[in-house]
Amino acid sequence: MPSIPPHTWQKSPFSPDGSDCIHLAATPAGTILLHESDEPGIVLTTGRPQLNALIAILESRNCDRV
């Protein structure tokens, strides 16, 4: 996994204020990285099409939180 500088992580707009925030980062190769604020050492790796598909599914089900 590439090392991502802390300033390139962005808080998801779907995360509430406070704890339990999801952060996203894009690598130069276009890979999307995700981690929770309370577990920053655990990073999920995905692609943009897969993340877009997940968000579309969650939005279609009217989910409030990811």
Side-chain angles (χ1 to χ4, degrees), residues 13-57:
F14 299 104
S15 294
D17 289 334
S19 62
D20 299 329
C21 298
I22 295 174
H23 294 100
L24 305 162
T27 68
T31 303
I32 305 297
L33 306 175
L34 300 101
H35 74 79
E36 290 187 65
S37 57
D38 59 347
E39 291 288 343
I42 300 173
V43 178
L44 300 176
T45 304
T46 190
R48 191 173 301 268
Q50 294 84 359
L51 181 60
N52 288 339
L54 174 62
I55 291 170
I57 289 168

